[in-house]
Amino acid sequence: MRALILMMLALIAMPVWAQQGTETIEPLTVTVGVNHAPPYRIIKNGERTGLYVEIFEGIATRLGWNVRYREAPFRRVLRLAEEGQVDIVLGPLQTEERERFLEFVAPAFPPERRLFFYQTDTHRIEGYSDLYGRVIGVLDGSSYFPRFDEDEKLMKERAPRYENLILMMEKGRVDVVIVPELVGKYIVDRLDVTARISPFFVPGERSYIAVSKKSKALAYADDIRAAFKLMEMEGTYEDLVLKYLETESP
């Protein structure tokens, strides 16, 4: 039965190119919007890697797609997707606002807690109420959880990268930074910043491979899901997740 399912998935997720009589259909080329957010999306010296990128590259390989990347801050990536200038966004959380212009195709990335990093004891967050009166560093354009996102009484300082926010905390420009667990630990380790983690945290949600509703790739949503399922059944997906859990956490 397992072999049969794998064969069916492989057939569903065949490359877009195919022979139809004498006509050849060229492989689909998709533009993926990415921001530098290690270890998920690592943009360095012209190379793109990271957990999310490697998972999507695995899907694209199984579909026979050509992939090109467009780097921009996260808020800009979302705007480009809304305008139809990028086809794919890797890792956004699903929100009602984003559903206007994105199709959340596959919950391909593991859930991850949102942690509050701090340096000074007086900035330690024991509960939600402790956030009031603190200057909180947040990634521009990012979504964390509804109560936090919509709370206009909170003082939020925005920046295009989490590295900027951690350095702002070190310089005393923000009191705490809310950041996904792996990203925060990765950055603190790489920047050699002394930071502590508050006991209050936000449970993680799975994030998605999302497709712009203006993209031709939207017609292949089922193929993306099938290719992702194939990676799960092969064990490739689990291997990638473990690779980054083991090598990127301090």
Side-chain angles (χ1 to χ4, degrees):
M1 179 61 70
R2 178 180 173 84
L4 178 61
I5 293 173
L6 284 170
M7 183 177 69
M8 291 175 65
L9 286 168
L11 288 172
I12 293 171
M14 285 180 67
V16 174
W17 60 268
Q19 295 289 337
Q20 295 183 350
T22 59
E23 180 184 4
T24 299
I25 300 175
E26 294 296 327
L28 185 68
T29 297
V30 294
T31 300
V32 179
V34 291
N35 65 306
H36 182 66
Y40 302 141
R41 300 170 296 268
I42 303 172
I43 316 300
K44 187 176 181 181
N45 300 326
E47 295 185 3
R48 286 89 174 178
T49 186
L51 176 59
Y52 291 3
V53 172
E54 288 201 46
I55 289 172
F56 184 74
E57 288 278 358
I59 290 171
T61 296
R62 286 159 178 77
L63 296 177
W65 288 0
N66 296 320
V67 181
R68 59 190 179 192
Y69 292 92
R70 182 164 178 179
E71 183 186 0
F74 186 68
R75 179 181 288 276
R76 175 66 175 156
V77 168
L78 292 176
R79 187 158 57 248
L80 290 170
E82 186 173 10
E83 296 169 352
Q85 296 187 52
V86 301
D87 302 294
I88 308 289
V89 183
L90 303 180
L93 295 181
Q94 187 171 9
T95 68
E96 185 175 342
E97 167 62 20
R98 294 171 183 174
E99 285 175 342
R100 291 190 304 102
F101 58 91
L102 289 176
E103 186 72 24
F104 289 83
V105 171
F109 310 120
E112 189 170 359
R113 299 185 302 171
R114 269 54 179 170
L115 304 180
F116 290 90
F117 284 78
Y118 72 100
Q119 288 189 308
T120 305
D121 287 341
T122 54
H123 297 154
R124 176 183 171 97
I125 307 300
E126 299 277 355
Y128 187 88
S129 61
D130 291 335
L131 293 172
Y132 295 112
R134 306 285 189 271
V135 180
I136 307 162
V138 299
L139 185 69
D140 193 22
S142 196
S143 176
Y144 296 97
F145 61 103
R147 181 183 179 185
F148 180 86
D149 297 336
E150 298 165 9
D151 194 337
E152 297 181 355
K153 295 180 181 179
L154 296 176
M155 295 184 291
K156 301 172 187 175
E157 186 70 28
R158 303 179 187 278
R161 290 188 173 189
Y162 280 116
E163 289 97 328
N164 302 123
L165 293 169
I166 295 296
L167 291 173
M168 287 164 65
M169 179 181 67
E170 187 178 38
K171 295 175 182 178
R173 292 175 54 191
V174 300
D175 300 323
V176 297
V177 177
I178 181 171
V179 55
E181 185 169 5
L182 276 184
V183 173
K185 291 180 177 179
Y186 180 101
I187 293 171
V188 166
D189 183 52
R190 292 303 183 275
L191 296 179
D192 194 25
V193 172
T194 300
R196 288 175 281 181
I197 298 171
S198 295
F200 177 71
F201 66 90
V202 183
E205 301 177 45
R206 292 189 75 92
S207 54
Y208 282 75
I209 293 174
V211 181
S212 168
K213 290 186 175 180
K214 293 185 177 180
S215 170
K216 293 180 180 179
L218 189 59
Y220 301 96
D222 287 340
D223 295 338
I224 294 172
R225 284 187 281 264
F228 172 61
K229 187 65 176 177
L230 186 59
M231 288 183 67
E232 285 186 312
M233 296 185 70
E234 291 171 342
T236 307
Y237 173 78
E238 182 179 7
D239 289 344
L240 285 172
V241 172
L242 290 175
K243 167 187 169 182
Y244 280 90
L245 285 175
E246 291 170 356
T247 62
E248 304 298 354
S249 296

mmCIF file of all heavy atoms in Angstrom, residues 40-79:
data_model
loop_
_atom_site.group_PDB
_atom_site.id
_atom_site.type_symbol
_atom_site.label_atom_id
_atom_site.label_comp_id
_atom_site.label_asym_id
_atom_site.label_seq_id
_atom_site.Cartn_x
_atom_site.Cartn_y
_atom_site.Cartn_z
ATOM 1 N N TYR A 40 15.840 30.056 8.766
ATOM 2 C CA TYR A 40 14.792 29.694 7.810
ATOM 3 C C TYR A 40 15.176 30.064 6.386
ATOM 4 O O TYR A 40 15.056 29.273 5.457
ATOM 5 C CB TYR A 40 13.490 30.432 8.144
ATOM 6 C CG TYR A 40 12.948 30.181 9.516
ATOM 7 C CD1 TYR A 40 12.381 31.219 10.253
ATOM 8 C CD2 TYR A 40 12.985 28.926 10.089
ATOM 9 C CE1 TYR A 40 11.864 31.012 11.510
ATOM 10 C CE2 TYR A 40 12.472 28.696 11.353
ATOM 11 C CZ TYR A 40 11.911 29.748 12.057
ATOM 12 O OH TYR A 40 11.400 29.543 13.303
ATOM 13 N N ARG A 41 15.563 31.327 6.231
ATOM 14 C CA ARG A 41 15.929 31.851 4.916
ATOM 15 C C ARG A 41 17.251 32.593 5.098
ATOM 16 O O ARG A 41 17.301 33.620 5.768
ATOM 17 C CB ARG A 41 14.838 32.800 4.397
ATOM 18 C CG ARG A 41 13.478 32.136 4.244
ATOM 19 C CD ARG A 41 12.378 33.155 3.962
ATOM 20 N NE ARG A 41 12.163 34.079 5.059
ATOM 21 C CZ ARG A 41 11.271 33.876 6.051
ATOM 22 N NH1 ARG A 41 10.526 32.793 6.057
ATOM 23 N NH2 ARG A 41 11.137 34.768 7.011
ATOM 24 N N ILE A 42 18.313 32.047 4.522
ATOM 25 C CA ILE A 42 19.653 32.614 4.695
ATOM 26 C C ILE A 42 20.123 33.156 3.357
ATOM 27 O O ILE A 42 20.267 32.410 2.382
ATOM 28 C CB ILE A 42 20.643 31.551 5.221
ATOM 29 C CG1 ILE A 42 20.129 30.952 6.546
ATOM 30 C CG2 ILE A 42 22.030 32.161 5.414
ATOM 31 C CD1 ILE A 42 20.943 29.771 7.040
ATOM 32 N N ILE A 43 20.325 34.462 3.286
ATOM 33 C CA ILE A 43 20.759 35.123 2.061
ATOM 34 C C ILE A 43 22.172 35.630 2.303
ATOM 35 O O ILE A 43 22.384 36.559 3.081
ATOM 36 C CB ILE A 43 19.834 36.309 1.699
ATOM 37 C CG1 ILE A 43 18.357 35.922 1.861
ATOM 38 C CG2 ILE A 43 20.141 36.812 0.300
ATOM 39 C CD1 ILE A 43 17.909 34.781 0.997
ATOM 40 N N LYS A 44 23.160 35.009 1.657
ATOM 41 C CA LYS A 44 24.547 35.360 1.949
ATOM 42 C C LYS A 44 25.408 35.101 0.716
ATOM 43 O O LYS A 44 25.382 34.000 0.155
ATOM 44 C CB LYS A 44 25.065 34.525 3.131
ATOM 45 C CG LYS A 44 26.443 34.923 3.629
ATOM 46 C CD LYS A 44 26.823 34.107 4.852
ATOM 47 C CE LYS A 44 28.180 34.505 5.395
ATOM 48 N NZ LYS A 44 28.554 33.691 6.582
ATOM 49 N N ASN A 45 26.165 36.133 0.315
ATOM 50 C CA ASN A 45 27.090 36.022 -0.815
ATOM 51 C C ASN A 45 26.417 35.454 -2.067
ATOM 52 O O ASN A 45 26.988 34.635 -2.791
ATOM 53 C CB ASN A 45 28.289 35.142 -0.427
ATOM 54 C CG ASN A 45 29.070 35.702 0.746
ATOM 55 O OD1 ASN A 45 29.188 36.913 0.902
ATOM 56 N ND2 ASN A 45 29.609 34.820 1.586
ATOM 57 N N GLY A 46 25.197 35.898 -2.308
ATOM 58 C CA GLY A 46 24.489 35.460 -3.498
ATOM 59 C C GLY A 46 23.862 34.084 -3.407
ATOM 60 O O GLY A 46 23.206 33.632 -4.349
ATOM 61 N N GLU A 47 24.051 33.393 -2.277
ATOM 62 C CA GLU A 47 23.487 32.058 -2.103
ATOM 63 C C GLU A 47 22.254 32.126 -1.218
ATOM 64 O O GLU A 47 22.181 32.934 -0.291
ATOM 65 C CB GLU A 47 24.520 31.117 -1.499
ATOM 66 C CG GLU A 47 25.720 30.865 -2.397
ATOM 67 C CD GLU A 47 26.669 29.833 -1.803
ATOM 68 O OE1 GLU A 47 26.355 29.283 -0.732
ATOM 69 O OE2 GLU A 47 27.727 29.592 -2.411
ATOM 70 N N ARG A 48 21.289 31.259 -1.508
ATOM 71 C CA ARG A 48 20.073 31.186 -0.708
ATOM 72 C C ARG A 48 19.952 29.778 -0.143
ATOM 73 O O ARG A 48 19.967 28.801 -0.885
ATOM 74 C CB ARG A 48 18.827 31.487 -1.547
ATOM 75 C CG ARG A 48 18.640 32.948 -1.902
ATOM 76 C CD ARG A 48 19.330 33.305 -3.172
ATOM 77 N NE ARG A 48 19.023 34.676 -3.589
ATOM 78 C CZ ARG A 48 19.548 35.224 -4.660
ATOM 79 N NH1 ARG A 48 20.387 34.564 -5.428
ATOM 80 N NH2 ARG A 48 19.235 36.468 -4.984
ATOM 81 N N THR A 49 19.848 29.697 1.160
ATOM 82 C CA THR A 49 19.669 28.406 1.809
ATOM 83 C C THR A 49 18.832 28.620 3.064
ATOM 84 O O THR A 49 18.199 29.658 3.231
ATOM 85 C CB THR A 49 21.031 27.754 2.117
ATOM 86 O OG1 THR A 49 20.816 26.435 2.624
ATOM 87 C CG2 THR A 49 21.824 28.577 3.126
ATOM 88 N N GLY A 50 18.803 27.642 3.948
ATOM 89 C CA GLY A 50 17.966 27.704 5.141
ATOM 90 C C GLY A 50 16.872 26.658 5.066
ATOM 91 O O GLY A 50 16.585 26.094 4.002
ATOM 92 N N LEU A 51 16.253 26.386 6.213
ATOM 93 C CA LEU A 51 15.258 25.315 6.293
ATOM 94 C C LEU A 51 14.129 25.497 5.288
ATOM 95 O O LEU A 51 13.794 24.584 4.535
ATOM 96 C CB LEU A 51 14.694 25.246 7.716
ATOM 97 C CG LEU A 51 13.566 24.233 7.943
ATOM 98 C CD1 LEU A 51 14.027 22.816 7.610
ATOM 99 C CD2 LEU A 51 13.054 24.307 9.379
ATOM 100 N N TYR A 52 13.512 26.679 5.264
ATOM 101 C CA TYR A 52 12.368 26.892 4.376
ATOM 102 C C TYR A 52 12.783 26.797 2.911
ATOM 103 O O TYR A 52 12.063 26.238 2.080
ATOM 104 C CB TYR A 52 11.740 28.268 4.628
ATOM 105 C CG TYR A 52 11.042 28.426 5.957
ATOM 106 C CD1 TYR A 52 11.021 27.403 6.911
ATOM 107 C CD2 TYR A 52 10.390 29.615 6.275
ATOM 108 C CE1 TYR A 52 10.385 27.568 8.126
ATOM 109 C CE2 TYR A 52 9.732 29.784 7.488
ATOM 110 C CZ TYR A 52 9.743 28.759 8.414
ATOM 111 O OH TYR A 52 9.097 28.921 9.612
ATOM 112 N N VAL A 53 13.937 27.368 2.596
ATOM 113 C CA VAL A 53 14.413 27.337 1.213
ATOM 114 C C VAL A 53 14.692 25.909 0.768
ATOM 115 O O VAL A 53 14.306 25.499 -0.336
ATOM 116 C CB VAL A 53 15.672 28.217 1.057
ATOM 117 C CG1 VAL A 53 16.290 28.038 -0.327
ATOM 118 C CG2 VAL A 53 15.328 29.683 1.294
ATOM 119 N N GLU A 54 15.339 25.118 1.617
ATOM 120 C CA GLU A 54 15.661 23.749 1.234
ATOM 121 C C GLU A 54 14.402 22.900 1.068
ATOM 122 O O GLU A 54 14.322 22.046 0.175
ATOM 123 C CB GLU A 54 16.605 23.112 2.259
ATOM 124 C CG GLU A 54 18.019 23.669 2.196
ATOM 125 C CD GLU A 54 19.026 22.720 2.820
ATOM 126 O OE1 GLU A 54 18.976 21.502 2.521
ATOM 127 O OE2 GLU A 54 19.860 23.191 3.616
ATOM 128 N N ILE A 55 13.407 23.130 1.919
ATOM 129 C CA ILE A 55 12.142 22.393 1.768
ATOM 130 C C ILE A 55 11.485 22.760 0.439
ATOM 131 O O ILE A 55 11.049 21.878 -0.321
ATOM 132 C CB ILE A 55 11.196 22.685 2.942
ATOM 133 C CG1 ILE A 55 11.729 22.016 4.227
ATOM 134 C CG2 ILE A 55 9.782 22.169 2.647
ATOM 135 C CD1 ILE A 55 10.964 22.392 5.485
ATOM 136 N N PHE A 56 11.439 24.054 0.127
ATOM 137 C CA PHE A 56 10.789 24.439 -1.130
ATOM 138 C C PHE A 56 11.598 23.980 -2.337
ATOM 139 O O PHE A 56 11.019 23.584 -3.362
ATOM 140 C CB PHE A 56 10.576 25.954 -1.202
ATOM 141 C CG PHE A 56 9.820 26.347 -2.445
ATOM 142 C CD1 PHE A 56 8.461 26.109 -2.540
ATOM 143 C CD2 PHE A 56 10.480 26.910 -3.531
ATOM 144 C CE1 PHE A 56 7.763 26.432 -3.685
ATOM 145 C CE2 PHE A 56 9.787 27.236 -4.678
ATOM 146 C CZ PHE A 56 8.428 26.994 -4.766
ATOM 147 N N GLU A 57 12.920 24.028 -2.244
ATOM 148 C CA GLU A 57 13.741 23.535 -3.351
ATOM 149 C C GLU A 57 13.458 22.052 -3.609
ATOM 150 O O GLU A 57 13.429 21.606 -4.759
ATOM 151 C CB GLU A 57 15.229 23.740 -3.036
ATOM 152 C CG GLU A 57 15.692 25.183 -3.094
ATOM 153 C CD GLU A 57 16.005 25.653 -4.504
ATOM 154 O OE1 GLU A 57 15.898 24.833 -5.443
ATOM 155 O OE2 GLU A 57 16.350 26.840 -4.665
ATOM 156 N N GLY A 58 13.238 21.287 -2.527
ATOM 157 C CA GLY A 58 12.894 19.878 -2.689
ATOM 158 C C GLY A 58 11.577 19.701 -3.426
ATOM 159 O O GLY A 58 11.432 18.821 -4.288
ATOM 160 N N ILE A 59 10.605 20.536 -3.098
ATOM 161 C CA ILE A 59 9.312 20.498 -3.785
ATOM 162 C C ILE A 59 9.480 20.875 -5.246
ATOM 163 O O ILE A 59 8.967 20.197 -6.149
ATOM 164 C CB ILE A 59 8.314 21.438 -3.082
ATOM 165 C CG1 ILE A 59 7.927 20.862 -1.717
ATOM 166 C CG2 ILE A 59 7.070 21.664 -3.941
ATOM 167 C CD1 ILE A 59 7.122 21.803 -0.854
ATOM 168 N N ALA A 60 10.209 21.964 -5.502
ATOM 169 C CA ALA A 60 10.401 22.437 -6.873
ATOM 170 C C ALA A 60 11.125 21.399 -7.722
ATOM 171 O O ALA A 60 10.801 21.206 -8.906
ATOM 172 C CB ALA A 60 11.170 23.752 -6.865
ATOM 173 N N THR A 61 12.109 20.714 -7.139
ATOM 174 C CA THR A 61 12.830 19.670 -7.868
ATOM 175 C C THR A 61 11.886 18.553 -8.289
ATOM 176 O O THR A 61 11.931 18.069 -9.428
ATOM 177 C CB THR A 61 13.964 19.107 -7.004
ATOM 178 O OG1 THR A 61 14.919 20.144 -6.740
ATOM 179 C CG2 THR A 61 14.668 17.948 -7.698
ATOM 180 N N ARG A 62 11.010 18.154 -7.385
ATOM 181 C CA ARG A 62 10.062 17.085 -7.699
ATOM 182 C C ARG A 62 9.043 17.502 -8.753
ATOM 183 O O ARG A 62 8.475 16.654 -9.437
ATOM 184 C CB ARG A 62 9.377 16.613 -6.411
ATOM 185 C CG ARG A 62 10.301 15.767 -5.539
ATOM 186 C CD ARG A 62 9.861 15.712 -4.085
ATOM 187 N NE ARG A 62 10.752 14.844 -3.306
ATOM 188 C CZ ARG A 62 11.957 15.192 -2.891
ATOM 189 N NH1 ARG A 62 12.428 16.398 -3.178
ATOM 190 N NH2 ARG A 62 12.698 14.356 -2.204
ATOM 191 N N LEU A 63 8.801 18.803 -8.852
ATOM 192 C CA LEU A 63 7.860 19.310 -9.843
ATOM 193 C C LEU A 63 8.539 19.728 -11.150
ATOM 194 O O LEU A 63 7.857 20.059 -12.125
ATOM 195 C CB LEU A 63 7.085 20.508 -9.274
ATOM 196 C CG LEU A 63 6.175 20.211 -8.077
ATOM 197 C CD1 LEU A 63 5.542 21.492 -7.566
ATOM 198 C CD2 LEU A 63 5.099 19.206 -8.459
ATOM 199 N N GLY A 64 9.865 19.704 -11.153
ATOM 200 C CA GLY A 64 10.592 20.119 -12.347
ATOM 201 C C GLY A 64 10.548 21.609 -12.605
ATOM 202 O O GLY A 64 10.679 22.061 -13.744
ATOM 203 N N TRP A 65 10.361 22.410 -11.557
ATOM 204 C CA TRP A 65 10.247 23.866 -11.702
ATOM 205 C C TRP A 65 11.618 24.532 -11.687
ATOM 206 O O TRP A 65 12.567 24.055 -11.064
ATOM 207 C CB TRP A 65 9.426 24.452 -10.558
ATOM 208 C CG TRP A 65 7.963 24.153 -10.642
ATOM 209 C CD1 TRP A 65 7.314 23.433 -11.597
ATOM 210 C CD2 TRP A 65 6.971 24.578 -9.704
ATOM 211 N NE1 TRP A 65 5.979 23.369 -11.330
ATOM 212 C CE2 TRP A 65 5.728 24.066 -10.177
ATOM 213 C CE3 TRP A 65 6.990 25.323 -8.539
ATOM 214 C CZ2 TRP A 65 4.520 24.289 -9.505
ATOM 215 C CZ3 TRP A 65 5.798 25.553 -7.860
ATOM 216 C CH2 TRP A 65 4.573 25.037 -8.340
ATOM 217 N N ASN A 66 11.694 25.647 -12.358
ATOM 218 C CA ASN A 66 12.835 26.553 -12.228
ATOM 219 C C ASN A 66 12.494 27.591 -11.162
ATOM 220 O O ASN A 66 11.378 28.120 -11.148
ATOM 221 C CB ASN A 66 13.125 27.261 -13.552
ATOM 222 C CG ASN A 66 13.540 26.294 -14.646
ATOM 223 O OD1 ASN A 66 14.281 25.356 -14.406
ATOM 224 N ND2 ASN A 66 13.054 26.529 -15.864
ATOM 225 N N VAL A 67 13.437 27.870 -10.279
ATOM 226 C CA VAL A 67 13.193 28.783 -9.168
ATOM 227 C C VAL A 67 14.177 29.947 -9.225
ATOM 228 O O VAL A 67 15.379 29.749 -9.396
ATOM 229 C CB VAL A 67 13.334 28.067 -7.804
ATOM 230 C CG1 VAL A 67 13.054 29.030 -6.655
ATOM 231 C CG2 VAL A 67 12.395 26.873 -7.722
ATOM 232 N N ARG A 68 13.645 31.147 -9.105
ATOM 233 C CA ARG A 68 14.485 32.319 -8.940
ATOM 234 C C ARG A 68 14.013 33.060 -7.689
ATOM 235 O O ARG A 68 12.857 32.944 -7.296
ATOM 236 C CB ARG A 68 14.440 33.221 -10.166
ATOM 237 C CG ARG A 68 13.070 33.735 -10.546
ATOM 238 C CD ARG A 68 13.087 34.408 -11.912
ATOM 239 N NE ARG A 68 11.760 34.882 -12.290
ATOM 240 C CZ ARG A 68 11.445 35.287 -13.509
ATOM 241 N NH1 ARG A 68 12.360 35.274 -14.464
ATOM 242 N NH2 ARG A 68 10.227 35.717 -13.775
ATOM 243 N N TYR A 69 14.920 33.817 -7.097
ATOM 244 C CA TYR A 69 14.620 34.455 -5.823
ATOM 245 C C TYR A 69 14.694 35.972 -5.957
ATOM 246 O O TYR A 69 15.491 36.514 -6.713
ATOM 247 C CB TYR A 69 15.595 33.982 -4.744
ATOM 248 C CG TYR A 69 15.415 32.524 -4.391
ATOM 249 C CD1 TYR A 69 16.158 31.541 -5.042
ATOM 250 C CD2 TYR A 69 14.484 32.129 -3.437
ATOM 251 C CE1 TYR A 69 15.984 30.197 -4.738
ATOM 252 C CE2 TYR A 69 14.298 30.789 -3.126
ATOM 253 C CZ TYR A 69 15.054 29.835 -3.788
ATOM 254 O OH TYR A 69 14.865 28.499 -3.500
ATOM 255 N N ARG A 70 13.847 36.625 -5.184
ATOM 256 C CA ARG A 70 13.873 38.085 -5.098
ATOM 257 C C ARG A 70 13.936 38.454 -3.625
ATOM 258 O O ARG A 70 13.019 38.163 -2.855
ATOM 259 C CB ARG A 70 12.632 38.690 -5.756
ATOM 260 C CG ARG A 70 12.630 40.212 -5.738
ATOM 261 C CD ARG A 70 11.631 40.788 -6.705
ATOM 262 N NE ARG A 70 11.598 42.251 -6.639
ATOM 263 C CZ ARG A 70 10.815 42.998 -7.399
ATOM 264 N NH1 ARG A 70 10.001 42.426 -8.276
ATOM 265 N NH2 ARG A 70 10.842 44.324 -7.278
ATOM 266 N N GLU A 71 15.034 39.074 -3.236
ATOM 267 C CA GLU A 71 15.240 39.412 -1.826
ATOM 268 C C GLU A 71 14.654 40.775 -1.511
ATOM 269 O O GLU A 71 14.824 41.738 -2.269
ATOM 270 C CB GLU A 71 16.720 39.392 -1.481
ATOM 271 C CG GLU A 71 16.989 39.668 -0.007
ATOM 272 C CD GLU A 71 18.451 39.784 0.320
ATOM 273 O OE1 GLU A 71 19.287 39.659 -0.584
ATOM 274 O OE2 GLU A 71 18.755 40.027 1.511
ATOM 275 N N ALA A 72 13.973 40.865 -0.385
ATOM 276 C CA ALA A 72 13.403 42.131 0.082
ATOM 277 C C ALA A 72 13.016 41.955 1.550
ATOM 278 O O ALA A 72 12.830 40.832 2.019
ATOM 279 C CB ALA A 72 12.177 42.507 -0.748
ATOM 280 N N PRO A 73 12.876 43.061 2.304
ATOM 281 C CA PRO A 73 12.335 42.940 3.668
ATOM 282 C C PRO A 73 10.968 42.267 3.636
ATOM 283 O O PRO A 73 10.250 42.338 2.629
ATOM 284 C CB PRO A 73 12.239 44.400 4.126
ATOM 285 C CG PRO A 73 13.250 45.120 3.306
ATOM 286 C CD PRO A 73 13.236 44.443 1.961
ATOM 287 N N PHE A 74 10.596 41.636 4.738
ATOM 288 C CA PHE A 74 9.397 40.802 4.756
ATOM 289 C C PHE A 74 8.140 41.569 4.343
ATOM 290 O O PHE A 74 7.323 41.074 3.566
ATOM 291 C CB PHE A 74 9.208 40.191 6.153
ATOM 292 C CG PHE A 74 8.081 39.201 6.217
ATOM 293 C CD1 PHE A 74 8.162 37.998 5.562
ATOM 294 C CD2 PHE A 74 6.928 39.490 6.942
ATOM 295 C CE1 PHE A 74 7.120 37.075 5.613
ATOM 296 C CE2 PHE A 74 5.884 38.587 6.998
ATOM 297 C CZ PHE A 74 5.985 37.378 6.331
ATOM 298 N N ARG A 75 7.974 42.778 4.849
ATOM 299 C CA ARG A 75 6.791 43.570 4.484
ATOM 300 C C ARG A 75 6.757 43.809 2.981
ATOM 301 O O ARG A 75 5.696 43.752 2.347
ATOM 302 C CB ARG A 75 6.785 44.906 5.240
ATOM 303 C CG ARG A 75 5.583 45.788 4.875
ATOM 304 C CD ARG A 75 5.616 47.106 5.623
ATOM 305 N NE ARG A 75 5.304 46.946 7.030
ATOM 306 C CZ ARG A 75 4.071 46.902 7.525
ATOM 307 N NH1 ARG A 75 3.027 46.981 6.718
ATOM 308 N NH2 ARG A 75 3.873 46.781 8.813
ATOM 309 N N ARG A 76 7.920 44.068 2.389
ATOM 310 C CA ARG A 76 7.997 44.292 0.955
ATOM 311 C C ARG A 76 7.676 43.008 0.184
ATOM 312 O O ARG A 76 7.006 43.048 -0.853
ATOM 313 C CB ARG A 76 9.390 44.797 0.597
ATOM 314 C CG ARG A 76 9.660 44.973 -0.897
ATOM 315 C CD ARG A 76 8.814 46.064 -1.503
ATOM 316 N NE ARG A 76 9.166 46.299 -2.894
ATOM 317 C CZ ARG A 76 8.349 46.822 -3.784
ATOM 318 N NH1 ARG A 76 7.125 47.192 -3.443
ATOM 319 N NH2 ARG A 76 8.741 46.999 -5.030
ATOM 320 N N VAL A 77 8.133 41.867 0.694
ATOM 321 C CA VAL A 77 7.820 40.585 0.050
ATOM 322 C C VAL A 77 6.307 40.388 -0.033
ATOM 323 O O VAL A 77 5.765 39.978 -1.075
ATOM 324 C CB VAL A 77 8.482 39.412 0.804
ATOM 325 C CG1 VAL A 77 7.915 38.071 0.329
ATOM 326 C CG2 VAL A 77 9.993 39.427 0.607
ATOM 327 N N LEU A 78 5.615 40.697 1.058
ATOM 328 C CA LEU A 78 4.155 40.562 1.060
ATOM 329 C C LEU A 78 3.519 41.500 0.038
ATOM 330 O O LEU A 78 2.570 41.114 -0.667
ATOM 331 C CB LEU A 78 3.606 40.847 2.458
ATOM 332 C CG LEU A 78 3.947 39.824 3.555
ATOM 333 C CD1 LEU A 78 3.403 40.297 4.894
ATOM 334 C CD2 LEU A 78 3.398 38.442 3.220
ATOM 335 N N ARG A 79 4.032 42.712 -0.054
ATOM 336 C CA ARG A 79 3.478 43.670 -1.004
ATOM 337 C C ARG A 79 3.726 43.207 -2.444
ATOM 338 O O ARG A 79 2.852 43.341 -3.311
ATOM 339 C CB ARG A 79 4.074 45.062 -0.769
ATOM 340 C CG ARG A 79 3.408 46.142 -1.608
ATOM 341 C CD ARG A 79 3.606 47.518 -1.015
ATOM 342 N NE ARG A 79 4.999 47.875 -0.835
ATOM 343 C CZ ARG A 79 5.598 48.019 0.341
ATOM 344 N NH1 ARG A 79 4.917 47.830 1.463
ATOM 345 N NH2 ARG A 79 6.867 48.352 0.425
#
